[in-house]
Amino acid sequence: MSAPWLNIIGIGEDGVEGLSSAAQTLVRNAHYVIGGARHLSLAKELVRGEAHQWPVPFSKAIEQVLGWRGSPVAVLASGDPFCFGAGSALAKHIRPDEMICIPLPSSISLACSRLRWGWQDVRVVSLCGRPLETLAPVLQPDTRLIVLSADATTPALVAEYLCGYGFGASRLHVLESLDGVDEEIRAFHADEALPEFKALNLLCIELQASLNARIIPLCSGLDDDLFEHDGQLTKREIRAVTLSSLSPTVGQMLWDVGAGAGSIAIEWMLRHPSNRAIAVERDPERAARIARNALSLGVPGLKIVVGRAPQVLEALEQPDAIFIGGGLSDVEIFDRAWSALPAGGRLVANAVTLEGEAVMMSRFERYNASLTRIGVERLDNVGRLHAFRPAMRVMQLVARKGAEA
């Protein structure tokens, strides 16, 4: 076991006075001190070693810290470094026994205490380095939301975004310089003209939706109209069944092969913020459409790979589940997808053509799969009357790796 050399210190707006004697000693004894310009300024009377401001992008900061391995290093971060902070990023590269963390209350804890909100009853979203559209999935009626602002412009941008989606009546609490001598809390409605704010601010929002608000439901099978598409879209009812068959769980990776409009991958990611997906689409125009859909629906992290399967599948991160919605007439795509799955991985494929069904029939016994035929009928006009018109039936194969006969 290595002796700890990395000391991650939470510092608040009260500066050195808010640090424990142990935290102060670790900063004084550090050969290297790294943090944001504000953090370094707050702790300047303690810094005796080399002071370094975070480089951009943050990946360079990690490389820099790793280069100091073995020497005493102090990382200064806001409040609780493991609450949307630098601690979580560093912990992916440095063993727990190599580091010490001395946190302070996070800005989220401070905000909840100021507003008398229960921590467990709020949703938290960071807009630091993330687009505004990240808010889309959490815009739910009568929800309390805490937004970590990127800078002074964030409150106005969020307010404008809320108004655009029918949440203009929402109440915004803007908390500036929390726990500092200049702390200020002001409340507004999203549809009001907002003043200027300090760069260090936090948004606490009591969401109020209008009757026509754009709300992304929590269910699988979103309305088709939420997706931009050219007809290559897994329709709502089939999509709901498909997501159920894929059985997403927390943090898992999906390949959506022949993604079309990206609806399966997007809904997979909407099931949990830590879920990931790769959309494989050979048509560049459709790939661009997938990117727009992912951004609009609040999952900008969807990875899009433009190319033909199965060739492009070789270089992809291993999936936990795979959906094949296009090109199943090529048995090589099916076999390559199956071989990529780990034990316990799921493969779901939909087909409407005889060629696609032939591929399924050739494999379902080998992989102990289930086959289901899904039919949907929608009401349509027949002259001045109405009748149900059937859509193309879909054959669905569901197989779990490790369950082969």
Side-chain angles (χ1 to χ4, degrees):
M1 181 179 292
S2 303
W5 56 271
L6 179 62
N7 306 289
I8 307 176
I9 309 298
I11 188 167
E13 287 303 289
D14 52 355
V16 171
E17 292 182 1
L19 298 181
S20 67
S21 58
Q24 292 185 29
T25 299
L26 290 172
V27 176
R28 284 195 195 95
N29 294 341
H31 292 183
Y32 305 95
V33 180
I34 188 168
R38 181 171 57 85
H39 303 133
L40 293 171
S41 176
L42 289 167
K44 61 183 178 182
E45 66 185 77
L46 297 177
V47 178
R48 296 175 180 173
E50 292 182 19
H52 296 262
Q53 190 171 327
W54 289 123
V56 177
F58 191 74
S59 58
K60 291 184 178 180
I62 294 173
E63 293 175 8
Q64 197 168 7
V65 171
L66 290 174
W68 297 328
R69 184 179 237 129
S71 299
V73 178
V75 170
L76 300 176
S78 297
D80 184 347
F82 282 88
C83 182
F84 291 89
S88 301
L90 290 166
K92 295 177 182 178
H93 304 273
I94 299 169
R95 296 194 311 271
D97 61 296
E98 295 184 86
M99 66 174 70
I100 292 171
C101 180
I102 302 180
L104 290 177
S106 69
S107 59
I108 299 167
S109 293
L110 291 172
C112 287
S113 67
R114 297 296 191 272
L115 298 178
R116 282 44 167 188
W117 287 5
W119 214 124
Q120 70 278 3
D121 298 325
V122 302
R123 292 292 303 273
V124 181
V125 174
S126 174
L127 292 183
C128 299
R130 298 176 177 86
L132 274 172
E133 288 81 2
T134 307
L135 293 171
V138 296
L139 297 185
Q140 302 290 326
D142 304 315
T143 297
R144 285 177 169 174
L145 180 64
I146 293 182
V147 177
L148 305 182
S149 294
D151 53 38
T153 67
T154 301
L157 292 173
V158 169
E160 182 180 3
Y161 185 81
L162 292 174
C163 291
Y165 284 90
F167 287 85
S170 299
R171 188 164 178 79
L172 276 61
H173 304 268
V174 184
L175 290 70
E176 302 170 271
S177 302
L178 271 173
D179 224 25
V181 294
D182 297 327
E183 178 179 314
E184 187 173 6
I185 301 174
R186 291 180 278 176
F188 310 88
H189 285 98
D191 55 6
E192 292 182 38
L194 301 186
E196 293 185 358
F197 299 101
K198 300 183 183 74
L200 185 62
N201 71 80
L202 190 74
L203 272 176
C204 297
I205 306 172
E206 297 175 87
L207 290 167
Q208 292 294 322
S210 68
L211 290 175
N212 297 317
R214 180 181 183 267
I215 299 167
I216 299 176
L218 301 180
C219 62
S220 296
L222 300 181
D223 195 298
D224 293 345
D225 290 341
L226 288 175
F227 298 93
E228 179 188 345
H229 63 91
D230 60 359
Q232 290 298 313
L233 174 75
T234 303
K235 299 301 190 291
R236 176 179 185 170
E237 298 86 354
I238 303 300
R239 195 178 336 117
V241 175
T242 300
L243 264 293
S244 175
S245 298
L246 284 166
S247 303
T249 58
V250 173
Q252 291 199 321
M253 164 67 79
L254 172 76
W255 288 0
D256 184 354
V257 181
S263 61
I264 296 294
I266 289 169
E267 291 213 36
W268 171 278
M269 293 182 70
L270 285 172
R271 299 284 67 76
H272 193 273
S274 67
N275 284 7
R276 299 166 297 137
I278 300 172
V280 178
E281 175 53 56
R282 66 182 182 181
D283 186 321
E285 186 174 338
R286 286 179 180 162
R289 190 176 293 117
I290 293 170
R292 293 193 294 272
N293 283 332
L295 184 62
S296 172
L297 290 164
V299 289
L302 173 61
K303 182 177 180 180
I304 301 166
V305 174
V306 182
R308 287 182 174 271
Q311 292 83 356
V312 298
L313 304 182
E314 295 292 338
L316 304 185
E317 180 182 347
Q318 186 178 49
D320 299 288
I322 300 175
F323 172 65
I324 304 176
L328 190 56
S329 59
D330 185 347
V331 71
E332 189 179 352
I333 295 176
F334 189 96
D335 289 342
R336 174 65 189 89
W338 183 256
S339 67
L341 286 170
R346 288 92 64 204
L347 174 64
V348 177
N350 291 348
V352 296
T353 65
L354 290 176
E355 290 79 6
E357 291 185 0
V359 172
M360 291 183 179
M361 294 299 293
S362 71
R363 293 296 185 270
F364 90 97
E365 287 187 340
R366 180 185 304 180
Y367 300 130
N368 193 28
S370 64
L371 287 176
T372 305
R373 193 181 297 280
I374 308 168
V376 176
E377 297 183 2
R378 298 184 180 89
L379 193 67
D380 200 359
N381 294 326
V382 180
R384 292 178 297 172
L385 305 177
H386 299 84
F388 283 96
R389 192 181 300 279
M392 294 183 72
R393 291 192 174 188
V394 175
M395 179 182 282
Q396 183 175 95
L397 177 143
V398 179
R400 182 178 292 271
K401 191 74 170 283
E404 298 94 335

